[in-house]
């Protein structure tokens, strides 16, 4: 196959993030973001990453819908000689949040796939409609080009039923497709593989706990390259304490808020997803700001940090037990890659489990994957910067290259 470029699209309800990559060397040719689509104050920021003219360009003008947004992106790419009509473009890879139990692999999009992603809207009401709009728009723009869906849930479809099922009435659960799906799967897949690479091992040969700590946060237990448990569930609300989400709470908190607090389901949804977690505990969801406040002696920020770490530690411990043997713990995403105090506190006191960080190695700032545990430690603690766009591009390219090879056989 001669075409080697992949356009990665991540379509939100009012935004589109994109990157154009060349899979010969995994290099990035351009990237950008359209935000506030449908508002008066829309903005497109495009950054070409090749050639002399590598300065970002911005458009600040109303962009009515995803169709207009994608056409504006296509025009910016054309300006750089990277247009969507180029024969070098092999496919478009779309991030799709929820693939339910159906999609275990990246999938070439056709009418049946679109219908199934649409059928999953009830379990992903915020994300799947926006992802679908992005896909439909891109398909209208390049109907002849393979378009591939890469699902956030796919990596977790290998979880055994014992981890994926909630202990609730089976009929009710099945009727409403209630089970633990997990999210951030593209990141967990990429980071667990990279962690193996970092240790000079094959993914099949190691067990890894991946801690994806961004504004959203999730942990996963990966045995020999296969996910066996993850902390997010039916929705991304379950699990760790996050920037604005509560993570685990007793479900009875919700009935209590309904009966005693007289709150509606929608109000509680907003409370737990948008006004809880770090922001609910101390008014800030940025770990940098929380650390700054702690350094000034702020007790509210201290408690928020301690709650965050306590939950993280519980997940490390439980995934240690799930895996039996752990070879590596990999920290990733905004907090995991940058916040040395979080990494240090998360494994503090776990020497008996073979876990420790070397303070000097932990303090190093770098964009490269690196081990931060001392040599004597039995478990490698690592920082592995995630790259979801590269992983989407890689999976998309592998699929279309494979299909092209099969056609030529
Ligand atoms: P993400 O969702 O992966 O983009 O992560 C965003 C979060 O990463 C922010 O809300 C911050 O809490 C955190 N973050 C980013 N940079 C830093 C940093 N230098 N130190 C600590 N936390 C950071």
């Amino acid at each position: 196959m001669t075409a080697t470029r992949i356009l990665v699209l991540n379509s939100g309800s009012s935004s589109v993030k994109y990157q154009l990559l060349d899979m010969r060397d995994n290099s990035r040719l351009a990237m950008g973001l359209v935000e506030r689509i449908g508002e008066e104050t829309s903005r497109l920021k495009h950054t070409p990453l090749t050639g002399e003219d590598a300065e970002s360009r911005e458009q600040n003008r109303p962009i009515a819908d995803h169709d207009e947004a994608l056409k504006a992106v296509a025009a910016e790419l054309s300006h750089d000689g990277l247009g969507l009509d180029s024969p070098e473009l092999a496919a478009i890879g779309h991030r799709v949040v929820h693939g339910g139990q159906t999609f275990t692999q990246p999938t070439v999009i056709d009418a049946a796939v679109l219908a199934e992603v649409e059928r999953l809207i009830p379990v992903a009401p915020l994300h799947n409609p926006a992802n679908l709009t992005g896909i439909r728009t891109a398909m209208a723009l390049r109907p002849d080009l393979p378009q591939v869906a890469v699902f956030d849930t796919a990596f977790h479809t290998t979880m055994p039923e014992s981890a994926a099922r909630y202990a609730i009435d089976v009929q009710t659960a099945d009727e409403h497709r209630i089970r633990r799906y997990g999210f951030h799967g593209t990141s967990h897949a990429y980071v667990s593989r990279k962690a193996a690479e970092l240790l000079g091992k094959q993914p099949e040969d190691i067990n890894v706990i991946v801690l994806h700590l961004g504004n959203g946060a999730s942990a996963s237990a990966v045995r020999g390259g296969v996910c066996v448990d993850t902390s997010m569930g039916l929705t991304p609300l379950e699990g760790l304490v996050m920037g604005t989400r509560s993570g685990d709470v007793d479900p009875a908190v919700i009935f209590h808020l309904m009966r005693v607090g007289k709150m509606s389901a929608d109000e509680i949804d907003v409370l737990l997803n948008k006004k809880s977690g770090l922001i609910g505990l101390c008014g800030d969801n940025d770990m940098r700001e929380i650390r700054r406040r702690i350094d000034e002696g702020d007790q509210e920020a201290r408690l928020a940090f301690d709650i965050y770490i306590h939950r993280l530690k519980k997940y490390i411990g439980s995934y240690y037990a799930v895996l039996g043997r752990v070879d590596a713990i990999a920290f990733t995403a905004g907090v995991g890659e940058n916040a040395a105090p979080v990494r240090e506190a998360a494994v503090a006191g776990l020497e008996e489990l073979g876990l420790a960080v070397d303070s000097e190695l932990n303090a190093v700032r770098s964009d490269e994957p690196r081990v931060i545990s001392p040599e004597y430690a039995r478990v490698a603690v690592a920082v592995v910067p995630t790259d979801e766009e590269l992983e989407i591009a890689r999976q998309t390219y592998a699929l279309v290259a494979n299909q092209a090879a099969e056609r030529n056989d």
Side-chain angles (χ1 to χ4, degrees), residues 69-81:
L70 221 54
K71 283 185 177 144
V73 170
E76 288 292 355
L77 288 167
S78 289
H79 177 94
D80 301 326

Side-chain angles (χ1 to χ4, degrees), residues 278 281-284 287 289-308:
L278 293 170
L281 289 165
C282 74
D284 273 308
M287 195 49 86
E289 188 56 19
I290 292 172
R291 290 303 310 175
R292 195 192 59 72
R293 285 173 55 187
I294 291 173
D295 289 343
E296 287 176 353
D298 185 320
Q299 288 307 310
E300 205 181 43
R302 173 86 250 168
L303 180 59
F305 184 82
D306 289 349
I307 295 169
Y308 183 93

